[in-house]
Amino acid sequence: MKATAVAGANIALIKYWGNRDEALRLPMNSSLSITLDTLLSTSTVMFDGDLEEDEISIDGTPAEAAVRSRVVEHLDRLRRWAGSEERARVASYNNFPRGAGLAASASGFAALTAAATRALGLSPDERELSSWARTGSGSAARSILGGYVEWRAADRHPDSYAEQIAPPEHWELLDCIAIVSTVPKSVSSAEGHRLAPTSPLYRARLAQVEAALPQMRQAILERDFQRLGELAEAEALSLHAIMWTSRPSLMYWMPETVRVLAAVRERRREGLSAYFTLDAGPNVHVLTTPEHGEQVSRRLAQVEGVQQVKVARPGPGVHLVEQHLF
Amino acid sequence: MKATAVAGANIALIKYWGNRDEALRLPMNSSLSITLDTLLSTSTVMFDGDLEEDEISIDGTPAEAAVRSRVVEHLDRLRRWAGSEERARVASYNNFPRGAGLAASASGFAALTAAATRALGLSPDERELSSWARTGSGSAARSILGGYVEWRAADRHPDSYAEQIAPPEHWELLDCIAIVSTVPKSVSSAEGHRLAPTSPLYRARLAQVEAALPQMRQAILERDFQRLGELAEAEALSLHAIMWTSRPSLMYWMPETVRVLAAVRERRREGLSAYFTLDAGPNVHVLTTPEHGEQVSRRLAQVEGVQQVKVARPGPGVHLVEQHLF
């Protein structure tokens, strides 16, 4: 059985950082994101009784050891669920750089989970798919759904899954991504999650998130852009504060990151509707409204050190497609 | 009566950020610093019954309104203490840029307090001098003393003063200051102190500082440089985490700041003993030992965007001098 799925990366407005259960990727806090329409991962999975071991290629080359073992572990979980022992051939393709804090593991594991479960003959509902995707990469739980998505923290595996709180067409926001580096980061998000509780500020952050999340949900439902933007900036800075103050300290910012953040605030003082957020990496996501999108993109592209500006909008959740990668 | 005093700026290893009493500058937490030997403020004060109002010049020009009113308020407090109503002529000179996070207000108010009290005929002891300097600029309390200095938080004015925990000759450390900007910052430290409690992480920081301070004191007493450096970096990042997450968010970093921080960590991986700390500004203080000082300075000067590297060592506390500025 062969199946192929496509999933979009997502940009978290309320971030996931730290697990209550590392192995099952049960997060310490609930989070909230927008699934993006133009940063896509495609995954084709075929189970084959003749294979001696899983064959995994990513972006055209065999997966490096760490990624490979993470994918194999995920396939093992799905095989156990399906009662299968067949090895798989997996090809995954991203239309954007991996490992640079652009959430390729979210879209990648969402697509992999949807393709693999279909190829195994399973028919999971969205909740099951989301909680299974979560076990591969936490934020993949969110990329299962389209539009505006909330992922609930819970103590047990199947109870922690994401749900759509508003479809993509509810609100057309733009995410203009100022890419300042496409070099894979030296410390993975997975390692960062493990370090989170070592920050003396981490418990305070969890309390902050608990207060901010319902406010962010409401800002989305009411299409209150300023409220969303202010909450998103505060939240991103809180995330990076935890990274810097964890032990050892994690520093994902580059000089250009600071330059972009300053530029966003300056443009805002000039009247542009633009707010930044950052994931676990140096690139800056700048949220704006359609009427300001062109100007924001153009101004970002002028900032020294910005290599490229990618524009994304709220997009659909994971979906199966007929065109396979092999 | 005319008197002149010289005081060194200080670099905090455990930072002062936030007040329990704004007017009296009673800090939320105790702090710990090194008084520096080469970043000096000199202040000459002369009280004169013929003056109609205070005449205040800083670095050769009349003080701008905000600085002026802060100095006049401070003189008023000292006049009340001395029972005098005479206006003063004040000249202050800094051998380093003001308002760029290099603690010119600490050394400036320490020198002013020592010169003004002497000119008023008062004979305060060190504790009195320190607590009075504190009311002008919190961290000025520390610049009264030389070497390694601890400033205790307290609920009442005279009880919050600094004391020397080790003299300058106890341990010759170097502070290599990578100056990336000498432009006065757009938000003053005084305003930052007021914003501190708006950070949702602030209470957690206070608990962190309470745990870190005795460890830092011990690292100094035992001359444990690695321990001191690790604590200093964690502490500086915690301070800036509070700034970024306060509302509104304060961002003192420049692109070059991040470049210097990364360079310090890289040099350390190569074997140099060097740790960074930052005050409320974009410039980076790099702590190192005498045997690595020259190499650290040279490498810092090579970092793109570093305009100058100033080197300072533990220096004496405030002292009166015979050479007046006017």
Side-chain angles (χ1 to χ4, degrees), chain A residues 66-319:
Chain A
V67 174
R68 183 188 153 74
S69 73
R70 194 164 160 190
V71 171
V72 169
E73 275 171 34
H74 194 57
L75 292 170
D76 284 343
R77 279 187 292 264
L78 300 177
R79 278 187 282 247
R80 275 196 298 276
W81 189 24
S84 163
E85 299 209 328
E86 288 186 355
R87 302 294 101 182
R89 187 173 162 202
V90 175
S92 190
Y93 170 75
N94 303 288
N95 72 348
F96 62 100
R98 280 191 301 137
L102 293 173
S105 72
S107 49
F109 275 94
L112 174 70
T113 305
T117 49
R118 165 60 64 100
L120 283 163
L122 299 166
S123 306
D125 61 23
E126 276 188 344
R127 289 183 177 190
E128 289 172 318
L129 207 49
S130 175
S131 64
W132 281 106
R134 192 205 71 234
T135 64
S137 170
S139 50
R142 298 189 307 238
S143 277
I144 296 298
L145 293 306
Y148 298 83
V149 177
E150 182 172 338
W151 167 26
R152 305 283 177 86
D155 280 328
R156 296 182 332 132
H157 161 51
D159 299 344
S160 182
Y161 52 82
E163 290 183 297
Q164 184 181 82
I165 60 171
E169 55 276 15
H170 165 70
W171 194 12
E172 191 192 0
L173 287 187
L174 268 63
D175 178 9
C176 301
I177 310 164
I179 296 180
V180 298
S181 171
T182 56
V183 177
K185 54 200 183 200
S186 58
V187 178
S188 69
S189 296
E191 177 61 16
H193 285 291
R194 274 188 289 274
L195 293 178
T198 68
S199 164
L201 308 178
Y202 186 60
R203 304 300 312 185
R205 167 172 163 72
L206 292 178
Q208 175 190 7
V209 164
E210 197 170 350
L213 193 133
Q215 296 174 43
M216 182 65 89
R217 191 194 302 128
Q218 204 179 342
I220 291 169
L221 295 176
E222 295 173 358
R223 300 187 189 87
D224 182 342
F225 183 65
Q226 185 183 340
R227 189 88 192 100
L228 176 141
E230 287 171 357
L231 287 165
E233 282 198 3
E235 166 57 11
L237 292 170
S238 159
L239 171 74
H240 283 263
I242 297 306
M243 293 167 173
W244 297 321
T245 54
S246 65
R247 298 179 183 174
S249 154
L250 279 185
M251 178 91 58
Y252 286 124
W253 289 16
M254 293 174 51
E256 294 75 18
T257 307
V258 174
R259 198 173 286 129
V260 175
L261 302 189
V264 171
R265 290 191 164 168
E266 209 175 308
R267 294 294 88 76
R268 195 157 73 232
R269 280 193 292 272
E270 294 168 8
L272 278 187
S273 281
Y275 294 87
F276 62 75
T277 182
L278 301 113
D279 276 351
N283 299 312
V284 184
H285 294 253
V286 182
L287 304 165
T288 187
T289 53
E291 61 268 37
H292 290 168
E294 203 188 307
Q295 214 177 335
V296 167
S297 298
R298 200 176 59 239
R299 300 302 290 266
L300 285 175
Q302 291 165 348
V303 176
E304 186 192 335
V306 171
Q307 298 171 5
Q308 190 189 350
V309 179
K310 274 190 177 283
V311 179
R313 289 172 176 74
V318 71
H319 47 281

Side-chain angles (χ1 to χ4, degrees), chain B residues 253-275:
Chain B
W253 290 17
M254 294 175 51
E256 294 73 19
T257 307
V258 174
R259 197 173 289 128
V260 175
L261 302 190
V264 171
R265 290 191 164 167
E266 210 175 307
R267 293 296 89 76
R268 196 156 72 229
R269 280 192 292 274
E270 294 168 9
L272 279 187
S273 280
Y275 293 87

Side-chain angles (χ1 to χ4, degrees), chain B residues 88-133:
Chain B
R89 186 169 164 208
V90 175
S92 190
Y93 170 75
N94 303 287
N95 72 348
F96 62 100
R98 281 191 302 138
L102 292 174
S105 71
S107 49
F109 276 93
L112 174 69
T113 306
T117 48
R118 166 59 65 100
L120 284 164
L122 299 166
S123 305
D125 61 22
E126 277 188 343
R127 288 185 179 186
E128 289 172 319
L129 207 50
S130 175
S131 64
W132 281 107

Side-chain angles (χ1 to χ4, degrees), chain B residues 82-304:
Chain B
S84 163
E85 297 209 330
E86 289 186 353
R87 302 294 102 185
R89 186 169 164 208
V90 175
S92 190
Y93 170 75
N94 303 287
N95 72 348
F96 62 100
R98 281 191 302 138
L102 292 174
S105 71
S107 49
F109 276 93
L112 174 69
T113 306
T117 48
R118 166 59 65 100
L120 284 164
L122 299 166
S123 305
D125 61 22
E126 277 188 343
R127 288 185 179 186
E128 289 172 319
L129 207 50
S130 175
S131 64
W132 281 107
R134 191 205 73 233
T135 63
S137 170
S139 50
R142 297 188 307 239
S143 279
I144 296 298
L145 292 307
Y148 298 84
V149 177
E150 183 172 338
W151 167 26
R152 305 283 177 84
D155 280 328
R156 296 184 329 136
H157 161 51
D159 300 345
S160 183
Y161 52 83
E163 291 183 295
Q164 185 182 79
I165 59 170
E169 56 276 15
H170 166 71
W171 193 11
E172 190 191 0
L173 288 186
L174 268 62
D175 178 9
C176 301
I177 311 164
I179 297 180
V180 299
S181 171
T182 55
V183 177
K185 53 201 184 197
S186 59
V187 179
S188 70
S189 296
E191 177 61 17
H193 285 292
R194 274 189 288 274
L195 293 177
T198 67
S199 164
L201 308 179
Y202 185 60
R203 303 301 311 184
R205 164 172 166 73
L206 292 179
Q208 176 191 6
V209 164
E210 198 170 352
L213 193 132
Q215 296 174 42
M216 183 64 90
R217 191 194 302 129
Q218 202 178 347
I220 290 169
L221 295 176
E222 296 174 356
R223 301 187 188 87
D224 182 341
F225 183 66
Q226 185 182 338
R227 190 88 193 99
L228 176 142
E230 287 171 357
L231 287 164
E233 282 198 3
E235 166 58 11
L237 293 169
S238 159
L239 171 74
H240 284 263
I242 297 307
M243 293 166 175
W244 297 323
T245 54
S246 64
R247 293 171 188 181
S249 155
L250 279 187
M251 178 93 58
Y252 286 123
W253 290 17
M254 294 175 51
E256 294 73 19
T257 307
V258 174
R259 197 173 289 128
V260 175
L261 302 190
V264 171
R265 290 191 164 167
E266 210 175 307
R267 293 296 89 76
R268 196 156 72 229
R269 280 192 292 274
E270 294 168 9
L272 279 187
S273 280
Y275 293 87
F276 62 74
T277 182
L278 302 113
D279 276 351
N283 299 312
V284 184
H285 293 254
V286 182
L287 304 165
T288 187
T289 53
E291 62 267 39
H292 289 169
E294 203 188 306
Q295 215 179 335
V296 167
S297 298
R298 201 176 58 240
R299 301 303 289 268
L300 284 174
Q302 291 165 349
V303 175
E304 187 191 334

